[in-house]
């Protein structure tokens, strides 16, 4: 009787040890103590951006077209005025004078100021796109730069400052925003593509003329002029 009791007790103890070991192994395998974000969110959470999501918003050309020079002057003087002057013939501070900066070669052309090799060897000109990237993050644009400014995350603020810099000494013509296709034209093109018509375009649909039903349509050259102008 004692032998059978001892045997049963031994198996119970052995089963408990095995169960405890499996529990420890499974916890490490599934990292139960380190919860992670699921691959697909069940519902959107405000302030949590999807991984790999592209930065949305107006283009630089659109921001420049709607920008405010006065706001740019205020932002430039407030954020950059400690290290830079902006007027023609202005002196060098911790950074160079920024008169006539827009369009000039990067890291060159500023009398009395020695640029770091990160800028002097960068190449290219201060285009609107380069200025935007520089103001967004100087260290990302030119790794090793002496510029200690962290950058501006707001695209409209950057566009306003660029407009002010253009006012201080001029620069190339501003880029033109791309005109959005009319909704009706885009819908017509989508329908044509869905129907398998490779010649479908986003042109405006022609309205039937005043001819009686069954009459042959007049050639396109004789029809009314297209009033869908590209300029808005």
């Amino acid at each position: 009787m004692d032998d059978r009791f001892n045997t049963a007790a031994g198996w119970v103890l052995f089963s408990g040890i095995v169960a405890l070991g499996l529990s420890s192994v499974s916890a490490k395998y599934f990292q139960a103590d380190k919860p992670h974000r699921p691959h697909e969110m069940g519902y959107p959470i405000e302030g949590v951006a999807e991984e790999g999501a592209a930065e949305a918003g107006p283009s630089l050309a659109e921001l420049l077209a709607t920008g405010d020079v006065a706001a740019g002057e205020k932002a430039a003087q407030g954020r950059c005025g400690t290290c830079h002057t902006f007027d023609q013939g202005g002196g060098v501070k911790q950074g160079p004078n920024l008169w006539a900066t827009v369009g000039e070669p990067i890291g060159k052309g500023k009398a009395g100021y020695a640029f770091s090799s990160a800028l002097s060897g960068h190449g290219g000109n201060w285009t609107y796109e380069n200025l935007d990237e520089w103001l967004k993050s100087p260290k990302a644009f030119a790794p090793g730069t002496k510029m200690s400014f962290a950058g501006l995350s707001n695209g409209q603020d950057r566009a306003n400052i660029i407009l002010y810099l253009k006012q201080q000494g001029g620069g190339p013509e501003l880029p033109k925003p791309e005109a959005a296709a009319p909704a009706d034209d885009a819908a017509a093109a989508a329908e044509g593509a869905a129907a398998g018509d490779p010649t479908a375009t986003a042109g405006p649909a022609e309205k039937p003329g005043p001819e009686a039903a069954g009459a042959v349509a007049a050639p396109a050259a004789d029809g009314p002029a297209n009033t869908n102008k590209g300029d808005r």
Side-chain angles (χ1 to χ4, degrees):
M1 181 69 178
D2 291 339
D3 291 339
R4 285 186 296 175
F5 176 80
N6 291 337
T7 300
W11 279 109
V12 170
L13 180 61
F14 176 78
S15 299
I17 294 173
V18 170
L20 181 62
L22 291 175
S23 175
S24 176
V25 171
S26 64
K28 292 182 178 180
Y29 181 81
F30 292 104
Q31 295 182 339
D33 59 334
K34 296 180 181 180
H36 60 277
R37 177 180 175 183
H39 294 292
E40 295 184 4
M41 301 294 287
Y43 54 90
I45 302 176
E46 185 177 358
V48 177
E50 290 295 331
E51 295 181 3
E55 182 180 352
S59 66
L60 175 60
E62 292 172 324
L63 293 174
L64 290 171
T66 59
D68 186 340
V69 176
E73 178 180 7
K74 182 178 179 180
Q77 296 289 350
R79 295 175 180 270
C80 315
T82 302
C83 300
H84 298 278
T85 57
F86 300 89
D87 55 315
Q88 186 174 16
V92 173
K93 292 185 177 181
Q94 187 174 346
N97 170 260
L98 297 181
W99 174 266
T101 293
V102 181
E104 75 174 2
I106 296 175
K108 298 176 175 65
K110 299 299 185 184
Y113 185 80
F115 287 94
S116 65
S117 59
L119 278 181
S120 62
H122 187 280
N125 296 331
W126 283 121
T127 63
Y128 296 109
E129 292 76 15
N130 282 339
L131 281 169
D132 183 60
E133 290 299 320
W134 168 259
L135 290 172
K136 184 178 182 180
S137 176
K139 294 187 181 300
F141 180 84
T145 177
K146 296 187 294 184
M147 183 81 157
S148 60
F149 181 58
L152 292 172
S153 61
N154 187 287
Q156 188 62 71
D157 288 345
R158 298 196 301 269
N160 292 341
I161 291 177
I162 292 171
L163 288 174
Y164 172 64
L165 290 176
K166 182 178 185 299
Q167 186 186 66
Q168 303 305 104
E173 182 180 357
L174 292 174
K176 294 182 179 180
E178 295 183 3
D184 292 343
D185 295 352
E191 290 177 2
D197 182 4
T199 62
T201 60
E206 294 185 4
K207 297 182 179 180
E211 293 84 355
V216 179
D222 297 332
N226 188 349
T227 59
N228 185 20
K229 303 297 185 181
D231 295 335
R232 295 291 191 272

